[in-house]
Amino acid sequence: MLVVLMGPPGAGKGTQAERITKEFNLLHISTGDILRNAVKEETALGLQAKQYMDRGALVPDEIVVGMIRERLARPDCAAGVLLDGFPRTVEQAEALGQVLESLQLKIDVVINVDVEAEELLSRLTGRRVCRNCGATYHIKFNPPRVRNICDHCSGELYQRSDDTVETVKERLDVYSKQTLPLIEYYQRKNLYYAVDGARSIDDVFADIAAYLQGKQ
Ligand code: ADP
Ligand code: AMP
């Protein structure tokens, strides 16, 4: 099964991806995670991407598409994949279609987690991430058992450098202008399923899981 998980920044894609991939045995591919890792490792790709990520802009399509093309061609994708944070522009969606065709794969469903802007701002500014395993928390909505310590691996929690009020506003603006048109794009292809993301993490997951069960 190949699932695309979309939605504005902070909608809960990473949080839901963690659960969906476990339940449905899918490989989690997050372009944001791949890019942050490249920035951390200071690779050529990371150095290039950082300047865009720091100001809340999208990394150019050709860079991200190249990354995804290489990742999807690896054999571990055969069992099933959940794409998180890609595609983010119509151009990326078109390129994804071509990459999948060349690999004789196709998208089964595009799930859009929808949440309004005001809620997204408080979700993103309160987000904390484990430096070690990448698990996501929220200081109010999903706090760790011990402050700043990961429940799973005892790693240290940190705040992403792009989760400041100013950068979040820019990212939400970029989402409206560049990513929102993808909804219509996938609606026209009859692949689109909308989920109300303004509910508890458990309720959102129950909705997605019930839908995916029907697709298996
Ligand atoms: P995305 O991957 O879409 O950017 P995340 O999964 O990282 O979003 O979630 C953003 C923040 O909101 C995190 O701090 C997360 O703990 C919190 N969060 C996720 N889902 C919910 C929810 N349903 N209700 C409240 N907070 C949530
Ligand atoms: P995310 O972790 O999905 O919130 O992404 C963090 C940042 O990485 C974004 O603000 C972009 O700068 C960059 N990024 C992630 N995925 C993409 C993508 N598909 N296209 C362009 N830039 C991306």
Side-chain angles (χ1 to χ4, degrees):
M1 187 158 57
L2 202 153
V3 179
V4 171
L5 191 58
M6 29 172 312
K13 298 182 296 296
T15 303
Q16 296 300 329
E18 213 178 301
R19 296 187 177 204
I20 299 166
T21 50
K22 215 182 210 174
E23 180 77 19
F24 293 90
N25 198 25
L26 302 173
L27 184 74
H28 182 191
I29 300 181
S30 152
T31 42
D33 285 348
I34 298 174
L35 289 166
R36 271 184 296 280
N37 202 41
V39 171
K40 195 168 132 198
E41 304 280 318
E42 298 183 345
T43 63
L45 166 74
L47 293 174
Q48 228 180 333
K50 188 176 180 332
Q51 48 183 317
Y52 299 96
M53 297 170 80
D54 279 349
R55 56 185 164 90
L58 292 184
V59 173
D61 289 339
E62 58 274 19
I63 296 181
V64 187
V65 168
M67 231 167 69
I68 279 288
R69 183 182 295 116
E70 186 272 327
R71 186 64 193 90
L72 285 174
R74 290 200 227 154
D76 59 351
C77 293
V81 167
L82 182 140
L83 287 178
D84 162 6
F86 182 92
R88 251 167 151 114
T89 62
V90 171
E91 291 72 19
Q92 289 181 16
E94 293 280 357
L96 175 63
Q98 287 164 15
V99 170
L100 292 177
E101 202 179 321
S102 72
L103 295 167
Q104 293 181 310
L105 295 170
K106 60 169 189 53
I107 297 173
D108 292 287
V109 61
V110 176
I111 297 172
N112 185 48
V113 185
D114 195 27
V115 177
E116 58 157 3
E118 204 175 309
E119 168 78 7
L120 295 170
L121 191 64
S122 56
R123 284 193 188 183
L124 288 169
T125 51
R127 171 161 64 185
R128 299 293 181 272
V129 183
C130 175
R131 220 178 265 290
N132 183 46
C133 74
T136 301
Y137 297 88
H138 190 282
I139 50 173
K140 276 200 208 126
F141 309 140
N142 183 25
R145 283 194 291 270
V146 181
R147 195 167 171 267
N148 281 331
I149 302 290
C150 179
D151 290 352
H152 307 299
C153 73
S154 301
E156 181 203 6
L157 305 189
Y158 78 104
Q159 182 171 28
R160 273 171 49 175
S161 58
D162 59 350
D163 278 347
T164 57
V165 176
E166 201 178 308
T167 313
V168 164
K169 285 188 175 157
E170 176 61 23
R171 287 160 65 205
L172 294 178
D173 195 41
V174 164
Y175 172 80
S176 304
K177 290 187 180 129
Q178 297 186 255
T179 309
L180 217 51
L182 275 183
I183 293 181
E184 213 184 299
Y185 179 88
Y186 283 122
Q187 272 172 336
R188 268 191 267 118
K189 291 188 182 290
N190 282 326
L191 289 171
Y192 183 79
Y193 181 68
V195 172
D196 173 12
R199 297 173 289 169
S200 72
I201 294 173
D202 285 345
D203 284 356
V204 175
F205 176 64
D207 185 339
I208 296 174
Y211 183 73
L212 289 179
Q213 231 107 44
K215 286 267 157 195
Q216 277 187 320

